[in-house]
Each structure stands twice: as C-alpha cells, then as structure tokens.
C-alpha cells in the first residue's frame, strides 16, 4: 500500500527526536489545533530558521523563486517553510511534474503545507495530494480532549514545582475555552506569579479574558503612543493566532480614518459619524488619538504601513517580526508632544 494511503502521523509523535536530515522536501499537516501547530513550529525552530507564509498571499512564481537554490559555489543555510492556508497554495501548485522537479532540486529547504480541511481517502488519491504524499509525510494535529488538556496544565504546573487548586483549574479552563495558545500563556504567567499553589484568587487576579486581549487593546495602546503596552498587546495577538495581515489592515484603516478627519473641515463628531464611528466611547477615543498625532505624523505612518505591506507580501519578510519592528521604530521616533491644533 502506498504512503499516501497510510494513516497520518500524530504531530507530537513525529517531532519526538526529529532531526533535520529526516525532514522530507514536501509535507502536509492537517491541523485542527493551533496550539499543537505552534509547538511544532517551536520544535522546527530549534533545527533551522523557519519562515511562515500564507497561501492566500502567495502567487506561484513567488513561491517557486522562494524555493530556488543558491548558486553552485554558494553554501545555503537550511530553511524550513511553513505555509498556512495551504489549500490556497495548492490551487496554484497542482502540477505533479513540477512538484517532483522541485523536490529533486530542493537541497536546503523543506516545506510544510498546513490544511484546515480534512481530506478523505478519495481526495488523498487525487493530485496534487497524491504526489505530495508520495514525496513527504502527512501529519495530523487534532484537537485534544478536555481530560488531556487538564492533565497537561497540571503536569506543567507540577514540573515548575507548584500546585494548582481544582477550582482554580476549572475556572482557568473555562475562561480559556478551546484556545490552548491563550491557555498556555496564562499558565506561564500564573507559574511566575504564584509562590507555591495557584489559587482561584490568583487566576482571577492574573488572567485576562480573550476579550481583554483583542485587537482593539493594541490599537488603543498604539494610537495612545504607549510603546510598552503596544508590544505586550501585539505579542498577545500573535499568541492567540490573530493573522498579522489582519492587524496590519486594521492599522491602515484606523490611520486612514484619523487622517481623513485631520484633512476635513467641520466638526470632528460629524466627520467621525460619516466614517462609521458613532458610539460615544469610540468618538472619545478617536478624539484622543487625533490629539496625539499631527497630519504629517499620520501621513508618515500610512507610508510606513504601505511599505510594510509590500515587504511582507512581496519580499516574504516575517510578518510578526516586521510589524513589531515597525511599532518600535515608529513610536520611538514620533513626536511625544501633543499637536498644537485643537480637535473640535
């Protein structure tokens, strides 16, 4: 029976004792659980640099160029490439002859293509899946059951030399829901906070809910020129799996909105209302943001965001690192004094 008809490998089992020379050129990952995928990426990062891409943002020629090997007399560094939204890439990369040719030429790179849609046996026997699975491994990151998640949390706490109350654990699992990335971050904070035993009071005091770590907390920190809080919020967004390009797009929308108000004549509240900002708290927040930036500041920010978008989509710069560096650089340089003009 051929490899592509075999049962997928458990991603946790696959990564045990994994060595670089054992990784095949093309591999598929069926992922139901972002947490397990993030753990896998951390493991890969211990072996070689990892580049994360999104299939919806890749055109075939750019992907082929990315896989191109260096010259005959140049020693290339090994690199592992993980493509999220893999279904979108495979709509373009479907020629089995091309896939085989790439696999034969790839000496310094290996690709993991992440799929969100479960494939049945008949689908796996069709191209390009058939060829990909003949050439590489098929991994599976299935959701963990609640009992297993509970055991993982208790084991992590115990390995740190501490204990956790059952009611504290119940509450922690409740606020985390199905988001294991969020859960891991909160457990790490609790371990640092508690002396010997994590109590229910500790969880209520230390842990934040998902709603409190959302995109708007980052936006408020950024447009309030709070660099430290911006970086903490940004890290939280990456941890819970918010797509970096979603963050970038929202930054662009907010900047355009603020710049439109700056350039417009008339009452600020009326202009914001025309732009869809009608809630009193949102209006208050936007007026505060407007007082922090000059028109020139916002124009410069919009230009930075434009080039940032190009660097990610065209030159494949790592989105998380690129956005983080922009936030540090821009907020460090932008004027800290409030603009002289009054907000009406």
């Amino acid at each position: 029976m051929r490899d592509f008809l075999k049962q997928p490998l458990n991603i946790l089992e696959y990564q045990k004792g994994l060595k670089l020379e054992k990784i095949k050129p093309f591999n598929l990952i069926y992922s139901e659980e972002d947490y397990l995928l993030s753990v896998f990426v951390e493991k890969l990062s211990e072996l070689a640099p990892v580049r994360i891409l999104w299939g919806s943002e890749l055109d075939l020629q750019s992907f082929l160029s990315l896989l191109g090997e260096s010259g005959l007399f140049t020693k290339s560094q090994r690199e592992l490439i993980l493509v999220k939204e893999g279904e979108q890439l495979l709509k373009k990369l479907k020629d089995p002859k091309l896939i085989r040719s790439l696999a034969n030429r790839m000496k310094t790179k290996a690709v993991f293509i992440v799929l969100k849609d479960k494939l049945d046996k008949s689908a796996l026997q069709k191209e390009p899946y058939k060829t990909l699975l003949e050439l590489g491994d098929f991994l599976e990151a299935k959701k963990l059951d609640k009992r297993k998640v509970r055991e993982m949390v208790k084991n992590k706490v115990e390995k740190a030399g501490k204990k956790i109350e059952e009611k504290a654990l119940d509450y922690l699992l409740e606020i985390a829901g199905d988001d294991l990335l969020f859960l891991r971050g909160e457990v790490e904070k609790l371990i640092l906070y508690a002396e010997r035993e994590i109590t229910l009071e500790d969880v209520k005091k230390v842990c934040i809910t998902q709603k409190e770590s959302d995109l708007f907390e980052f936006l408020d920190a950024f447009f309030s020129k709070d660099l430290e809080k911006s970086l903490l919020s940004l890290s939280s967004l990456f941890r819970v799996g918010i797509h970096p390009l979603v963050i970038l797009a929202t930054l662009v929308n907010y900047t355009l909105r603020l710049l439109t108000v700056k350039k417009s004549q008339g009452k600020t509240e009326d202009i914001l209302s025309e732009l869809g900002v009608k809630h009193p708290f949102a209006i208050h927040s936007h007026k505060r943001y407007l007082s922090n930036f000059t028109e020139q500041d916002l124009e410069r920010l919009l230009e930075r965001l434009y080039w940032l978008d190009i660097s990610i989509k065209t030159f494949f710069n790592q989105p998380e690192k690129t956005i983080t560096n922009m936030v540090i650089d821009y907020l460090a340089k932008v004027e800290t004094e409030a603009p002289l003009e009054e907000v009406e």
Side-chain angles (χ1 to χ4, degrees), residues 160 162 185-195 198 206:
K162 300 181 181 181
E186 299 310 295
V187 171
E188 290 171 354
K189 286 196 297 185
L190 285 165
I191 288 173
L192 292 173
Y193 176 82
E195 292 186 6
I198 299 170
V206 174

Side-chain angles (χ1 to χ4, degrees), residues 130-154:
K130 178 180 177 180
T131 296
L132 287 169
L133 294 178
E134 287 176 349
L135 297 172
D137 289 313
F138 184 22
L139 314 179
E140 187 175 58
K142 297 191 72 173
K143 280 191 176 296
L144 301 173
D145 62 52
K146 294 186 182 299
R147 179 186 57 80
K148 180 65 175 178
V149 173
R150 193 180 189 89
E151 289 177 2
M152 287 173 57
V153 173
K154 293 182 76 170

Side-chain angles (χ1 to χ4, degrees), residues 217-229:
E217 183 178 279
F218 164 69
L219 294 167
D220 183 72
F222 181 85
F223 287 106
S224 297
K225 294 184 179 178
D226 188 332
L227 177 56
E228 182 178 1
K229 189 175 180 181

Side-chain angles (χ1 to χ4, degrees), residues 110-127:
V111 179
F112 291 88
I113 301 172
V114 181
L115 308 173
K116 284 295 184 183
D117 297 331
K118 189 172 180 64
L119 299 171
D120 58 24
K121 186 177 293 188
S122 62
L124 292 175
Q125 295 182 60
K126 297 177 182 178
E127 298 295 356

